[in-house]
Amino acid sequence: MTTPALLPLSGRRLPPLNLGASAFPHHRATLRLSEKFILLLILSAFITLCFGAFFFLPDSSKHKRFDLGLEDVLIPHVDTSKGGKNLGGFLIHGQGHDEHRHREEEERLRNKIRADHEKALEEAKEKLKKSRDEIQAEIQTEKNKVVQELKKKDSKPLPPVPLPNLIGINSGEPADPDIREKRNKVKEMMKHAWDNYRQYGWGHNELKPIARKGHSTNIFGNSQLGATIVDALDTLYIMGLHDEFREGQEWIDKNLDFSVNSEVSVFEVNIRFIGGLLAAYYLSGQEVFKIKAVQLAGKLLPAFNTPTGIPWAMVNLKSGVGRNWGWASAGSSILAEFGTLHMEFVHLSYLTGDPVYYNKVMHIRKLLQKMDRPNGLYPNYLNPRTGRWGQHHTSVGGLGDSFYEYLLKAWLMSDKMDTEARKMYDDAIEAIEKHLIRKSNGGLTFIGEWKNGHLERKMGHLTCFAGGMFALGADGSRDDKAGHYLQLGAEIAHTCHESYDRTTLKLGPEAFKFDGGVEAVAVRQNEKYYILRPEVIETYWYMWRFTHDPKYRQWGWEATQAIDKYCRVSGGFSGVKDVYSSSPTYDDVQQSFFLAETLKYLYLLFSNDDLLPLDNWVFNTEAHPLPVLHLANTTLSGNPAYR
Ligand code: DMJ
């Protein structure tokens, strides 16, 4: 056990032991020799000890396993009353002839042990001649072999499935030169973000554009999983940045390894990695993305091993041990996290033919359907041990948002067959409209947050995605209220635009109030930041697709210019800490969702509608497009949409 630690000390390239080396330089060689001698002595002693122990250990059937070729003569468990003789823990049969045979065997055994002993000494001498670098290289080679073997095991070929109708994956060039120019500007910003990440943060999860080095947050664990590469792939693809796409693909192929001892957020890894890989697979047809998505999904599955089947928020990719965020109410899982897995998991089942993923998310849905909802609202917290709600807080922003989004998108993704999801969406939206949506004194429609029976008149930047959601869900709404929901989407888009327009930088704050004379303005210092978030631009894009009102392109262009002016630095793009300050400070993070979402939605806003048409594609909550599935003939059970 101690040998490897001792080896480097006697390696040729290591300095001699400090003791006496500088004081007595002529003693250096002597010291090295004596070190080697001591090591040899330790090794010999160790081997001799093993030899001795072998003979003096008590009788045990386990000894048969020693590979010394003794099974023929050493017969364990012989009854001594029948003339058997106990020798060093083993029983030898008979006397006379048997004793002679025994002596011969003993001799043979001794010779063998002597030979093994000498061989071990030779090997030890050889090792001692090697430098630390050589030894490390040998260890690395062995490690690589093991990793390769594991990879081979993991990359089992997946069953072939018919690809859905993939249209509109690389068109959308606008005829209007002004719009084309704007689109090119967005593409140039994407290049700037990507090139700097490649130069300074390659392989890290995100980039620190000021410090010019890699960045990561706890949602990705402590490993370098290249979150920005995976999140950016489909944006690169639709922008026609194919060299960059190939670089990303190569990195993923060679380096993206999920067998790491890292505790990650199940939700974030699902929406960014699985969503990103699946979209890259559908767009490019490259198998590697599908294989990686399935490998990763397998690592997330242990998170569902809870008493209720509601997954933990975090899971260790290696051990499979899960747990929840310390800050969540009473050990709860979060609605927007366990409720934002459906799209990706249905696609995983579709692509693999394995219903395991589908069953997990359908189980969550069934459980939610059975639960009582205070005022028809879904609380943000649910305890995965007891199956009971935590605090009665409801939000269409942080902690709740994408749960509602995925109900609607489950219906759209199933080619509108999953009517169960549509019903859940309609019910939820009705309760939200009744209890959370209000008009301010100044006439701005906002969505507040429900906290223990009380409405907080505050709206988050995250909540601004809901304008797009209402517009997307207008068609097919209950009682044919399409016009109403499109109008609601337009009102939310307007309010969120106001939250941008009322700042110095023309960028929106993290949260803004509608209280005490304040309208669409952040009050608390720690809510004044803008971290390159996409939600407002996402809503502009949906509203543009459904109305073609030029104001949405105009608002999107204002945001593009503001981001380029205030968030662009020579090393990439950074969030800013105070959108009301004329000399803002940077937070020094280029979020991966900036490349996945913000720039993608801007690019789509200045593209024709035939790029990723909404009849064929449904965007996951990280803006990764997944095709509509026509699953009528599949064998997925439990939901009429998939029967
Ligand atoms: C993204 O990762 C996703 O849009 C998610 O649903 C919530 N917010 C961030 C970006 O703001």
Side-chain angles (χ1 to χ4, degrees):
M1 289 278 278
T2 52
T3 311
L6 285 169
L7 277 174
L9 284 176
S10 46
R12 272 182 292 148
R13 298 200 195 147
L14 288 176
L17 283 174
N18 207 10
L19 173 74
S22 51
F24 308 102
H26 57 284
H27 283 177
R28 278 179 188 210
T30 326
L31 276 174
R32 275 209 206 115
L33 274 174
S34 55
E35 279 167 39
K36 288 179 184 176
F37 180 72
I38 289 167
L39 279 167
L40 284 174
L41 216 60
I42 292 170
L43 275 171
S44 321
F46 178 69
I47 292 165
T48 313
L49 196 72
C50 294
F51 178 62
F54 180 79
F55 278 96
F56 292 103
L57 280 174
D59 185 6
S60 159
S61 59
K62 281 187 197 149
H63 289 131
K64 273 196 94 176
R65 290 172 197 254
F66 281 115
D67 187 20
L68 292 172
L70 301 174
E71 283 84 349
D72 295 340
V73 284
L74 303 180
I75 307 166
H77 305 300
V78 172
D79 186 353
T80 43
S81 63
K82 290 181 187 145
K85 186 175 173 187
N86 192 330
L87 180 77
F90 286 92
L91 297 173
I92 308 296
H93 245 311
Q95 303 279 332
H97 175 71
D98 277 356
E99 263 177 26
H100 175 69
R101 222 183 83 200
H102 167 61
R103 263 196 299 278
E104 273 178 11
E105 288 305 335
E106 255 193 340
E107 187 55 29
R108 192 174 71 80
L109 174 61
R110 253 185 236 110
N111 288 341
K112 188 177 187 315
I113 290 175
R114 203 173 295 125
D116 287 349
H117 191 164
E118 273 162 19
K119 197 172 152 221
L121 282 175
E122 273 312 306
E123 279 174 8
K125 271 193 227 161
E126 281 306 306
K127 268 251 173 321
L128 287 169
K129 280 186 204 157
K130 289 185 182 167
S131 70
R132 174 196 273 184
D133 290 350
E134 284 168 318
I135 293 167
Q136 269 173 355
E138 272 177 17
I139 294 171
Q140 194 52 47
T141 315
E142 286 306 311
K143 265 193 194 167
N144 289 348
K145 265 193 223 156
V146 175
V147 170
Q148 285 313 322
E149 284 306 309
L150 282 174
K151 273 190 183 163
K152 260 190 235 157
K153 255 208 257 161
D154 273 359
S155 14
K156 280 185 227 115
L158 296 168
V161 275
L163 277 186
N165 208 5
L166 304 173
I167 48 174
I169 58 177
N170 46 22
S171 42
E173 174 88 10
D176 181 339
D178 174 53
I179 302 299
R180 244 198 340 257
E181 203 180 306
K182 288 175 172 144
R183 189 168 103 132
N184 284 338
K185 174 65 195 169
V186 176
K187 183 171 169 179
E188 183 278 326
M189 289 165 73
M190 179 71 183
K191 260 295 266 164
H192 182 68
W194 175 263
D195 287 348
N196 277 289
Y197 166 74
R198 189 186 50 189
Q199 189 169 356
Y200 302 115
W202 194 238
H204 289 265
N205 289 317
E206 293 178 314
L207 167 71
K208 285 176 89 64
I210 314 272
R212 297 184 185 221
K213 58 180 193 180
H215 167 80
S216 198
T217 60
N218 62 346
I219 58 174
F220 304 122
N222 53 16
S223 298
Q224 290 185 25
L225 296 173
T228 296
I229 301 177
V230 183
D231 233 4
L233 279 174
D234 51 10
T235 309
L236 294 171
Y237 191 93
I238 64 164
M239 288 183 175
L241 294 168
H242 294 304
D243 289 343
E244 288 79 358
F245 180 88
R246 265 189 296 277
E247 281 172 344
Q249 177 176 343
E250 208 179 300
W251 185 89
I252 286 170
D253 194 14
K254 296 208 176 112
N255 303 289
L256 188 53
D257 177 12
F258 305 114
S259 316
V260 286
N261 184 9
S262 223
E263 192 181 51
V264 299
S265 153
V266 174
F267 159 76
E268 297 287 357
V269 163
N270 176 58
I271 65 168
R272 301 192 202 210
F273 284 80
I274 297 188
L277 289 165
L278 290 178
Y281 166 66
Y282 282 119
L283 291 174
S284 70
Q286 297 296 311
E287 286 281 313
V288 59
F289 299 125
K290 180 169 74 173
I291 290 168
K292 294 280 177 185
V294 175
Q295 283 173 2
L296 177 54
K299 301 274 179 190
L300 298 188
L301 288 180
F304 292 80
N305 297 336
T306 63
T308 56
I310 294 291
W312 300 114
M314 284 173 286
V315 70
N316 184 302
L317 292 176
K318 191 165 205 168
S319 66
V321 173
R323 70 182 173 102
N324 275 343
W325 304 111
W327 49 260
S329 159
S332 292
S333 300
I334 306 295
L335 182 69
E337 297 197 332
F338 65 77
T340 309
L341 303 167
H342 190 96
M343 291 181 70
E344 296 80 3
F345 275 46
V346 170
H347 272 276
L348 285 166
S349 280
Y350 172 74
L351 290 172
T352 58
D354 185 345
V356 64
Y357 312 101
Y358 170 80
N359 290 339
K360 298 282 180 211
V361 288
M362 285 310 289
H363 177 80
I364 296 175
R365 183 189 286 181
K366 294 287 164 219
L367 200 134
L368 288 175
Q369 280 178 325
K370 277 191 231 143
M371 295 187 65
D372 278 341
R373 282 174 288 133
N375 291 318
L377 296 169
Y378 288 91
N380 293 334
Y381 302 104
L382 178 58
N383 189 312
R385 291 184 201 276
T386 61
R388 291 205 198 97
W389 298 119
Q391 275 175 313
H392 285 190
H393 289 185
T394 298
S395 165
V396 185
L399 309 184
D401 48 10
S402 42
F403 162 69
Y404 307 100
E405 177 185 353
Y406 269 37
L407 291 177
L408 173 64
K409 289 181 175 177
W411 174 68
L412 290 168
M413 202 185 81
S414 69
D415 201 19
K416 305 187 180 171
M417 300 292 284
D418 187 355
T419 47
E420 186 177 81
R422 176 77 216 204
K423 182 183 177 311
M424 288 174 80
Y425 171 77
D426 286 335
D427 289 346
I429 295 307
E430 268 177 27
I432 284 167
E433 237 193 305
K434 188 164 169 202
H435 297 288
L436 307 185
I437 300 187
R438 296 283 181 273
K439 244 192 182 68
S440 71
N441 294 340
L444 295 176
T445 302
F446 69 93
I447 310 176
E449 312 228 326
W450 192 257
K451 294 201 168 155
N452 297 326
H454 158 84
L455 182 72
E456 195 178 355
R457 296 170 68 89
K458 182 163 88 176
M459 184 165 171
H461 192 290
L462 289 164
T463 321
C464 286
F465 92 96
M469 178 177 75
F470 293 140
L472 184 65
D475 189 20
S477 58
R478 193 176 281 166
D479 306 326
D480 198 18
K481 284 167 75 181
H484 168 75
Y485 285 113
L486 203 55
Q487 173 62 23
L488 189 55
E491 288 175 23
I492 298 298
H494 173 62
T495 299
C496 292
H497 175 252
E498 286 301 308
S499 80
Y500 273 49
D501 207 41
R502 295 176 188 198
T503 71
T504 312
L505 303 188
K506 305 294 171 200
L507 291 168
E510 181 66 4
F512 39 95
K513 295 208 93 165
F514 299 86
D515 224 356
V518 171
E519 301 249 330
V521 171
V523 176
R524 293 164 59 169
Q525 190 55 36
N526 64 2
E527 291 173 344
K528 293 182 177 173
Y529 60 86
Y530 172 68
I531 57 167
L532 305 169
R533 285 199 192 277
E535 291 77 18
V536 176
I537 293 163
E538 175 181 350
T539 278
Y540 294 163
W541 173 62
Y542 279 109
M543 290 310 301
W544 163 256
R545 277 273 170 110
F546 290 112
T547 66
H548 284 165
D549 185 331
K551 79 176 174 211
Y552 296 114
R553 276 187 164 165
Q554 179 51 37
W555 291 352
W557 184 238
E558 286 168 12
T560 310
Q561 287 176 302
I563 292 171
D564 203 46
K565 188 164 175 189
Y566 298 112
C567 301
R568 187 182 185 122
V569 293
S570 58
F573 288 89
S574 166
V576 289
K577 290 185 181 164
D578 185 349
V579 289
Y580 301 96
S581 160
S582 50
S583 51
T585 48
Y586 298 114
D587 69 0
D588 199 13
V589 181
Q590 180 176 284
Q591 306 275 351
S592 79
F593 55 66
F594 179 62
L595 293 90
E597 299 190 73
T598 312
L599 292 174
K600 186 185 284 126
Y601 286 130
L602 282 173
Y603 188 78
L604 288 168
L605 182 62
F606 301 116
S607 297
N608 291 342
D609 295 358
D610 58 358
L611 180 57
L612 299 174
L614 287 171
D615 284 343
N616 303 80
W617 295 90
V618 186
F619 288 71
N620 88 339
T621 193
E622 188 78 1
H624 296 305
L626 300 175
V628 169
L629 294 177
H630 306 275
L631 295 171
N633 298 324
T634 68
T635 51
L636 296 178
S637 60
N639 185 327
Y642 300 118
R643 249 186 244 134

